[in-house]
Amino acid sequence: MLLSRLFRSLPLLLLSACLGCVPDARAAPGIVGPVVVDGLSDAAAQRAGVLPAAAHADLRQPAHSDQGRILFVLASSKVHGSSALPASISFGEVVHAWDTFHAAGYAVDFVSPDGGEVPILDRYVGKDMEPRRKDERIMTGLRHTARPAQIDPSRYRAVYYVGGSNAIYGVPEHSVLQRIAMHVYERNGGVVSAVCHGTAGLVNLKLADGQPLVAGKRITGYPEEHERQDEPYFKQFPFLIRKTVESRGGLFHALDGDQAYIEVDGRVVTGQNYASATQVAQAVVDILRRQADRPPVRGAKKA
């Protein structure tokens, strides 16, 4: 009788394992915050077509032993400032960085000021990126970003500020996102990174002693001299990235042209443009690998 029950339950157990029904026991103490969890294998994701609902993790629960997560910070704004001009995240800057972190074994979560779906304009998705809009491991996360209040910063080894035409709105001044980033940097000994217009998210970050994070650091991002300054969108910018970084004591560097360029200064990694997203993510991975033999740093000195 017992043997018979065992054989009847075996197919269910095998099916659960194949579909990844328990993607990360440490990351799912409760199902509250809608955010993608990277536990589903590539093959299972393709077979299932979508991530299972059980992959939604409660990001408010502590996970002090889990040091393998990266937090992507995205903007929620669908327009430029107070205008009706459409704005968007940079989808490719998400995908290229996600691929790099995923290949290195890190899980990725998404957060935005408003939570929920973030805007993706078609013109911000190149032909090479179009197939990735069917990749539910990424798209589920972009449709269901967490709200900042749902995030437990102790879970994360790094934050990555995604660029796009909307990155300068809503993120830089968000006090909860600021606290999350500085918790990761100062208390977790983690990395703060950004690419292109995502560098706008760094300008208001302050260390515990009140000094700007960027002060005295080599920083890059998308400079205002590369913007189309005669276009209506530019008049909506609340500040200019290079000018503001320099006013905070940062050492801003940028190249002419569209080639990839990054700056790594301690545990702050920034990239100039779209082409730099992979290099930014790889630099973050390299820093975290160098830390791997050490226990998580608490109350780290600034670097």
Side-chain angles (χ1 to χ4, degrees), residues 10-87:
L10 188 57
L12 286 173
L13 290 171
L14 290 172
L15 181 61
S16 296
C18 288
L19 293 178
C21 291
V22 187
D24 188 343
R26 294 171 298 177
I31 301 171
V32 177
V35 64
V36 66
V37 175
D38 269 58
L40 192 61
S41 70
D42 293 359
Q46 291 167 0
R47 286 196 302 272
V50 295
L51 285 175
H56 295 165
D58 182 357
L59 301 183
R60 296 173 299 182
Q61 295 295 324
H64 298 293
S65 63
D66 183 358
Q67 294 296 322
R69 306 191 80 80
I70 311 293
L71 184 64
F72 280 32
V73 181
L74 305 109
S76 299
S77 181
K78 295 178 174 61
V79 295
H80 283 274
S82 59
S83 76
L85 298 168

Side-chain angles (χ1 to χ4, degrees), residues 30-239:
I31 301 171
V32 177
V35 64
V36 66
V37 175
D38 269 58
L40 192 61
S41 70
D42 293 359
Q46 291 167 0
R47 286 196 302 272
V50 295
L51 285 175
H56 295 165
D58 182 357
L59 301 183
R60 296 173 299 182
Q61 295 295 324
H64 298 293
S65 63
D66 183 358
Q67 294 296 322
R69 306 191 80 80
I70 311 293
L71 184 64
F72 280 32
V73 181
L74 305 109
S76 299
S77 181
K78 295 178 174 61
V79 295
H80 283 274
S82 59
S83 76
L85 298 168
S88 170
I89 69 164
S90 174
F91 183 62
E93 290 171 17
V94 172
V95 173
H96 290 307
W98 189 93
D99 285 346
T100 302
F101 289 126
H102 184 70
Y106 291 93
V108 169
D109 296 323
F110 301 90
V111 65
S112 66
D114 298 339
E117 187 170 9
V118 293
I120 304 173
L121 293 176
D122 289 343
R123 68 172 177 265
Y124 281 85
V125 182
K127 289 183 178 179
D128 60 327
M129 288 290 104
E130 188 61 40
R132 301 302 296 276
R133 297 182 81 165
K134 298 179 182 179
D135 188 338
E136 288 299 324
R137 299 167 303 167
I138 295 174
M139 294 306 299
T140 298
L142 295 178
R143 286 192 291 264
H144 302 285
T145 65
R147 299 184 305 276
Q150 291 177 282
I151 296 298
D152 174 4
S154 69
R155 299 171 67 91
Y156 297 98
R157 299 300 298 128
V159 295
Y160 170 72
Y161 286 84
V162 177
S165 58
N166 66 349
I168 203 166
Y169 309 108
V171 170
E173 67 271 27
H174 199 290
S175 61
V176 180
L177 289 174
Q178 292 169 16
R179 287 196 293 272
I180 291 168
M182 296 318 297
H183 184 117
V184 172
Y185 184 78
E186 294 193 294
R187 296 182 62 182
N188 299 359
V191 180
V192 170
S193 64
V195 68
C196 202
H197 290 87
T199 297
L202 275 57
V203 302
N204 293 326
L205 299 181
K206 291 184 178 181
L207 301 167
D209 63 8
Q211 290 296 309
L213 173 67
V214 300
K217 288 187 169 55
R218 299 186 309 277
I219 301 293
T220 190
Y222 202 76
E224 47 269 29
E225 59 266 30
H226 289 189
E227 300 285 356
R228 300 187 303 277
Q229 296 190 15
D230 57 343
E231 295 287 337
Y233 82 88
F234 185 73
K235 297 177 175 59
Q236 294 292 323
F237 277 17
F239 60 87

Side-chain angles (χ1 to χ4, degrees), residues 218-275:
R218 299 186 309 277
I219 301 293
T220 190
Y222 202 76
E224 47 269 29
E225 59 266 30
H226 289 189
E227 300 285 356
R228 300 187 303 277
Q229 296 190 15
D230 57 343
E231 295 287 337
Y233 82 88
F234 185 73
K235 297 177 175 59
Q236 294 292 323
F237 277 17
F239 60 87
L240 304 178
I241 292 176
R242 175 196 284 273
K243 182 178 179 179
T244 306
V245 167
E246 292 177 342
S247 74
R248 306 285 198 264
L251 309 173
F252 193 93
H253 300 278
L255 303 180
D256 292 331
D258 298 326
Q259 65 268 43
Y261 176 71
I262 72 169
E263 286 282 0
V264 180
D265 196 327
R267 290 180 287 112
V268 177
V269 181
T270 48
Q272 179 174 330
N273 49 28
Y274 177 97

